Amino acid sequence: MDADERRALAARVLERSRADATEAIVSTTHRALTRFTHQTIHQSVDVEDVVIRVRAIAGGRTGVATTNACDDRGIDDALARALALAAVAPPGDEEPALAGPASVAAPAGAYVDATARAGARERAEIAARIFSHADTHGYWSSGYVATSSAGVTIATTAGAGLSFDGTECGANVKMTGDDSTGFAEFHGTDVRGLDGDALGARAAAKARASAAPVAVDPGEWTVILEPPAFGELAMFLADHFSAQAYDEGSSFLSGRLGERVVGANVTIRDDYADALHPDAPFDWEGTPKQRTTVIENGIARTVLTDRTWARRLDRPNTGHGLPAPNARGPYPVDLVIDPGTSSLDALIAGTARGLLVTRLWYVRVVDRRRTILTGMTRDGTFLIEDGAIRAGVRNLRFNQSLTEALSACAFSNERTRTGGYSYAAVAPAVKFDRFTFASSTAY
Amino acid sequence: MLDTALARGAAYADARFERSRSERIDVRNGDVAGLSDVRSAGVGVRALVRGAWGFAATDRFDDAALDAAAARAVEAARAAAGAGRDAGGTIPTDVYVDRYATPVERDPATVSLGDRVALLLEAERALHSAPAIAVGHAWIDLWRTDKEFYSSTGSCIEQTLFQSGAAISAMAVGDGDAQTRVWPGDQGLYLGGGWEAIELAALRENAARIGEEAHRLLAAPQCPSGTLDLILGGSQVSLQVHESCGHAAELDRIMGWEANFSGTSFLDPAARGTLRYGSPLVTIEIDNTMPRGFATLAYDDEGTKSVRADVIRDGILVGFESSRDTARRIGTVSTACMRAESWAHVPMIRMCNLSLLPGDVPFENLFDDVRDGVYMESNRSWSIDDRRLNFQFGTQIGWEIKNGKRGRMLKNPTYGGVTPQFWNSCDAIADRASWFEWGTPNCGKGEPMQVGRTTQAAAPARFRNVEIGVGYGR
């Protein structure tokens, strides 16, 4: 279903609605995945779906219903269910409102036809190139190669009519040897940039370099996190940037706008138009997204809003609304951490004794207000001594306040799109002067 | 659809039609923050070509769309078969023609939307029982799923599943701290069944206490650090079973099928029958026929009949959660744990109902001979390594135990350990009176991640000499 067909479907929803005001969101997805282990493809998947989400407002009350039945009967059923929900919803303090007309432009490179057209055979060929590196080194490989296309159209009776089409492709690779593992990933919008050879070689090199890992004592270390590790960690700040969390007091930013909250070299933005992660230029309420700097040179500048929280806090709507109904509040989906000036190699060369971490696993919040996180290293952890990588290291568990770590850090000058299915962020590598590990493993 | 798959070269195919309805109500700080009703229908088809599986799904039911989906599944299988090594998939031999429906005491449809909203508004209001409550939140989830499974070997299985759950949550904020309490358990009460689950949650009856506890936690002393005895409440034992047994015993994980994301396992099929996983008190079983189980149904999503099977018996590892293909590789039969989140997802091995059997100690007697320890309830933080060994968990609330008595409230409790050592330190499990079918609505696994609904029934339990306070440094 292309944008014109989505627009026609959304218009049909609005025409058939008897609510005082109606929003129709038509989303299409075509996602495909080739997943492998031990040089064997064990999941080969191809899924198509169209979803219509209807938000109906009647008498100042709101109900939301969703269907993937696109005929008139399915649409009428969804509209009736949304109105039935609205009928029992108590009126809120604020009059609900829908987005009006707006003009937006999709960022360059968001949609690549080659990605949208990629098939199972192309994904399998990329996987086969990864397999060859595993076979060469006597490793077994696991991972995936994925391609997808998605489209969304938002139309409201207040005059909004926005559409966006995007593609995604990605691969991640884990190489497993006798006593070590290695990891590599790529995420973007253009499948032609997805190089199975490069990924296989990088993951194999990591596994080779971390063989015969040594044990190190837990405790406070200088640590360098490569982008997959740092991006995952940084995503745990995303909830704190919400105006809802800020106002309710659960954010580390609560009451601290205008203050220095992390190191002066830290700038964190939400940017739908970043060249490495071009995304939809509007949010799920039909509001144009603002490219927003939340933390600038260590100073908390603003928080992110949607229609509700912009109104409640009398702040500009930054366009970070999630699909209704939304009890979570606004949320950044295009996080970017600005790079520094040194290369990753220079950060390593400038480290007398420390650890280099490729990837993290199972990161969770221990203490929300203090941003204490716990998690494990995995798939390539190394000891740095006298500015050079000396050995692989057995994996470690950390407990660390992220904001405290960001108060004494340096970033690499590389920018990497990281995350895959779980999140998307653009991040450099980071060197933390102090990072605390609590325990270690036997592998 | 199946004919198309066979005609295009598949040796076997199955199709799973699903219609689902998800209803959710959220009340937050006096507002109805969300009223949603999501319906989805579609069909997922699996095709087997030269030992490799392909999966395709569509939301369209016309002949052309069904044929196209079948063709895409065969194409995906053929591409998989042509790359890499033999995947080893085989044609199933068991054939069933059957129907099943979740027993429901009270159909949620008989409870009006107005009454559902009124219940949550009242419960949420009662959470604000103390001045520091910044956020009160109450919610209800109701699901109905109708599945039809057809295979090219003749299976025809119709199942209707009802699953329901509800919770309240209070967050207190003050002095740079935020403390949250949830009831029941750590994320609500979720069961297989209807409105009776919502009634069992007793939201109104517990809301004021939960609000007060969140408020009191702000001023409570920090949980101490040290090697102490530990008593875990039932829902936290459930989480412990889930993370350090349930995921560890998934056979696809053991075989490396999840290695790049969810990880592998410290378990080895060769250890079956010999590995001492826990103390002799520890028996953990799969029972996907269990009444009120959140994951209870009659057949899994590759058409295998649900079973009851031991994973750990008297502390010894004896079995795994498995599918047909993985079980065959180790010479056993499937424990029927193949589930898909929806019609649009490929079935994979999931933890279903996997429970720690109760012991014989009344709950209050667990405290009797604890000289110095901590009692912890309701999970707040959970993390475990990618082989399911090194874990660290935190709970919402704790209480000091001194000389057999539960004492003052503690905040920020955490503990950590290594899976087999921890389960071997278990020296008492509470009896059936405090055993409950704790359901988890959001178990994640796979790429793209699939959300599974699972039950780990458990009772409170006691563990000796555990590292406590690890999340805040020692």
Side-chain angles (χ1 to χ4, degrees):
Chain A
M1 185 179 284
D2 62 21
D4 287 340
E5 292 170 307
R6 291 198 308 271
R7 277 190 280 268
L9 184 53
R12 192 145 51 91
V13 173
L14 300 187
E15 285 167 14
R16 301 184 76 84
S17 175
R18 287 175 294 168
D20 298 339
T22 305
E23 173 191 79
I25 303 179
V26 178
S27 308
T28 58
T29 55
H30 182 190
R31 59 178 173 83
L33 166 80
T34 297
R35 203 161 181 225
F36 54 88
T37 184
H38 291 90
Q39 284 84 282
T40 300
I41 294 172
H42 65 299
Q43 288 176 7
S44 187
V45 170
D46 186 314
V47 177
E48 291 180 339
D49 195 12
V50 179
V51 174
I52 303 171
R53 181 185 294 264
V54 177
R55 177 156 49 144
I57 299 172
R61 306 162 183 223
T62 302
V64 179
T66 300
T67 184
N68 68 347
C70 300
D71 56 8
D72 286 349
R73 189 174 157 197
I75 292 168
D76 290 346
D77 176 67
L79 286 164
R81 286 186 286 120
L83 277 172
L85 291 169
V88 299
D93 294 338
E94 300 139 351
E95 186 70 21
L98 299 175
S103 176
V104 295
Y111 182 91
V112 178
D113 199 49
T115 306
R117 294 181 184 281
R121 195 167 301 280
E122 289 166 82
R123 289 186 296 278
E125 287 170 359
I126 293 169
R129 286 196 282 275
I130 294 168
F131 298 167
S132 69
H133 289 270
D135 289 335
T136 297
H137 297 283
Y139 297 147
W140 60 271
S141 60
S142 56
Y144 70 77
V145 180
T147 53
S148 68
S149 58
V152 61
T153 293
I154 300 181
T156 71
T157 49
L162 300 171
S163 284
F164 171 76
D165 287 274
T167 54
E168 294 281 342
C169 68
N172 81 17
V173 184
K174 173 174 177 164
M175 292 285 182
T176 301
D178 290 341
D179 59 4
S180 66
T181 57
F183 176 76
E185 67 171 1
F186 172 86
H187 302 286
T189 60
D190 190 343
V191 72
R192 293 168 297 185
L194 211 170
D195 184 342
D197 272 324
L199 289 169
R202 177 171 169 76
K206 285 269 188 186
R208 198 164 57 250
S210 60
V214 300
V216 299
D217 290 332
E220 197 171 84
W221 282 80
T222 296
V223 167
I224 297 173
L225 302 180
E226 293 194 2
F230 180 47
E232 181 163 6
L233 214 55
M235 286 307 295
F236 283 81
L237 296 179
D239 261 334
H240 290 263
F241 298 160
S242 148
Q244 178 171 296
Y246 171 81
D247 184 62
E248 292 172 347
S250 63
S251 167
F252 77 94
L253 299 178
S254 294
R256 299 184 67 190
L257 287 187
E259 294 180 18
R260 160 84 33 95
V261 291
V262 287
N265 59 336
V266 179
T267 293
I268 304 177
R269 302 176 288 115
D270 190 79
D271 186 359
Y272 73 91
D274 189 284
L276 290 179
H277 183 217
D279 198 3
F282 53 89
D283 71 4
W284 289 95
E285 296 180 311
T287 303
K289 288 181 186 171
Q290 305 302 308
R291 303 170 75 174
T292 306
T293 300
V294 180
I295 294 176
E296 183 177 29
N297 300 326
I299 309 291
R301 291 296 184 199
T302 191
V303 288
L304 303 175
T305 56
D306 55 15
R307 293 182 71 84
T308 298
W309 283 96
R311 194 168 48 220
R312 285 185 184 173
L313 301 188
D314 193 24
R315 301 184 69 86
N317 185 349
T318 60
H320 289 87
L322 296 177
N326 173 24
R328 184 180 189 179
Y331 190 81
V333 294
D334 304 305
L335 217 55
V336 177
I337 299 99
D338 278 2
T341 53
S342 302
S343 67
L344 173 59
D345 288 343
L347 290 180
I348 294 170
T351 302
R353 190 164 193 268
L355 298 173
L356 173 67
V357 176
T358 301
R359 191 186 186 199
L360 298 175
W361 166 244
Y362 225 129
V363 181
R364 289 293 183 274
V365 177
V366 174
D367 190 310
R368 182 178 167 87
R369 275 296 299 255
R370 295 168 61 188
T371 67
I372 298 175
L373 305 173
T374 190
M376 299 294 303
T377 66
R378 73 184 292 190
D379 302 335
T381 305
F382 303 92
L383 176 66
I384 304 168
E385 287 180 330
D386 301 326
I389 293 172
R390 299 296 179 195
V393 169
R394 292 181 184 173
N395 287 300
L396 297 149
R397 169 174 296 286
F398 65 88
N399 279 293
Q400 176 63 49
S401 162
L402 181 53
T403 48
E404 285 179 16
L406 284 168
S407 295
C409 68
F411 298 109
S412 77
N413 58 10
E414 299 101 346
R415 285 162 27 90
T416 302
R417 159 83 187 275
T418 181
Y421 281 114
S422 301
Y423 63 90
V426 176
V430 64
K431 178 178 175 179
F432 290 129
D433 290 353
R434 289 177 296 281
F435 198 82
T436 303
F437 292 99
S439 60
S440 57
T441 67
Y443 66 95
Chain B
M1 193 174 206
L2 300 180
D3 290 344
T4 300
L6 297 183
R8 286 179 170 264
Y12 166 87
D14 56 41
R16 178 169 41 88
F17 291 76
E18 288 195 14
R19 292 183 186 278
S20 66
R21 180 174 188 177
S22 307
E23 298 174 87
R24 168 98 180 186
I25 307 172
D26 284 278
V27 170
R28 206 167 186 281
N29 282 354
D31 290 335
V32 179
L35 273 169
S36 72
D37 182 345
V38 177
R39 295 190 187 189
S40 182
V43 55
V45 58
R46 296 194 311 166
L48 183 67
V49 176
R50 299 201 310 276
W53 290 101
F55 175 82
T58 179
D59 60 338
R60 295 286 167 264
F61 296 100
D62 57 275
D63 287 347
L66 296 177
D67 285 342
R72 290 187 352 250
V74 173
E75 181 190 349
R78 188 167 283 126
R85 299 171 184 155
D86 181 8
T90 57
I91 300 171
T93 55
D94 43 345
V95 175
Y96 299 99
V97 177
D98 203 356
R99 289 184 177 178
Y100 170 82
T102 307
V104 172
E105 293 175 25
R106 187 176 181 191
D107 186 342
T110 65
V111 181
S112 72
L113 273 170
D115 287 347
R116 298 178 195 176
V117 170
L119 165 63
L120 292 183
L121 285 168
E122 186 181 344
E124 194 281 327
R125 193 180 310 119
L127 287 168
H128 295 268
S129 54
I133 302 303
V135 181
H137 188 189
W139 64 92
I140 290 174
D141 285 305
L142 301 168
W143 294 283
R144 174 182 171 144
T145 308
D146 293 284
K147 300 179 180 224
E148 296 175 34
F149 176 90
Y150 303 97
S151 77
S152 60
T153 50
S155 280
C156 173
I157 301 165
E158 296 177 39
Q159 301 188 91
T160 299
L161 310 180
F162 291 89
Q163 296 158 310
S164 305
I168 48 176
S169 167
M171 183 175 73
V173 174
D175 295 330
D177 194 9
Q179 294 287 336
T180 299
R181 286 288 287 128
V182 177
W183 172 267
D186 52 57
Q187 51 187 336
L189 186 148
Y190 286 87
L191 295 175
W195 190 255
E196 64 272 15
I198 314 303
E199 292 172 334
L200 193 60
L203 303 184
R204 282 179 292 224
E205 295 83 346
N206 288 280
R209 174 178 62 82
I210 290 297
E212 287 160 10
E213 285 182 354
H215 172 83
R216 288 175 55 206
L217 279 167
L218 291 176
Q222 176 79 13
C223 178
S225 295
T227 305
L228 302 169
D229 291 342
L230 173 66
I231 297 176
L232 297 178
S235 70
Q236 180 60 24
V237 174
S238 170
L239 187 278
Q240 184 79 47
V241 170
H242 181 106
E243 298 292 353
S244 68
C245 301
H247 283 310
E250 293 164 343
L251 200 46
D252 59 343
R253 183 189 294 267
I254 291 167
M255 292 180 171
W257 295 17
E258 286 292 321
N260 71 308
F261 178 60
S262 303
T264 58
S265 172
F266 70 98
L267 297 178
D268 184 329
R272 187 162 45 117
T274 57
L275 177 74
R276 175 154 291 284
Y277 204 105
S279 74
L281 299 175
V282 177
T283 289
I284 294 175
E285 68 171 21
I286 299 165
D287 184 0
N288 295 337
T289 69
M290 183 171 76
R292 304 205 305 189
F294 204 27
T296 296
L297 43 58
Y299 300 86
D300 74 359
D301 286 336
E302 60 174 5
T304 303
K305 194 174 180 63
S306 290
V307 296
R308 186 172 174 173
D310 290 339
V311 172
I312 298 166
R313 169 64 60 188
D314 303 328
I316 303 296
L317 176 74
V318 294
F320 305 100
E321 298 142 294
S322 62
S323 61
R324 286 197 188 107
D325 284 348
T326 55
R328 185 179 43 75
R329 290 178 187 209
I330 63 166
T332 62
V333 295
S334 170
T335 51
C337 289
M338 284 285 270
R339 303 284 177 96
E341 178 183 328
S342 77
W343 59 266
H345 293 85
V346 65
M348 58 192 297
I349 293 177
R350 299 309 304 257
M351 193 187 320
C352 300
N353 300 326
L354 179 103
S355 302
L356 174 69
L357 298 191
D360 57 4
V361 181
F363 169 62
E364 51 276 16
N365 293 122
L366 289 178
F367 295 80
D368 285 350
D369 62 349
V370 176
R371 197 168 58 84
D372 192 5
V374 178
Y375 172 56
M376 299 187 192
E377 268 190 9
S378 302
N379 186 266
R380 178 172 102 176
S381 176
W382 66 104
S383 175
I384 188 166
D385 72 26
D386 61 343
R387 295 181 64 196
R388 298 279 152 179
L389 280 168
N390 178 311
F391 66 81
Q392 179 181 301
F393 299 135
T395 65
Q396 297 166 18
I397 192 167
W399 286 270
E400 191 176 63
I401 308 170
K402 294 289 185 189
N403 300 316
K405 303 292 183 194
R406 195 199 308 199
R408 59 183 181 159
M409 179 186 291
L410 302 171
K411 72 173 172 185
N412 304 330
T414 56
Y415 67 99
V418 176
T419 294
Q421 287 92 319
F422 182 78
W423 283 106
N424 274 287
S425 77
C426 177
D427 77 338
I429 301 173
D431 61 19
R432 191 166 286 276
S434 52
W435 190 79
F436 188 77
E437 303 92 340
W438 293 104
T440 298
N442 58 352
C443 173
K445 183 180 175 184
E447 285 187 314
M449 184 177 280
Q450 295 191 38
V451 176
R453 298 175 195 148
T454 169
T455 282
Q456 278 67 66
R462 186 175 64 208
F463 303 84
R464 299 291 190 183
N465 300 317
V466 177
E467 295 300 309
I468 283 173
V470 292
Y472 288 79
R474 290 195 59 180

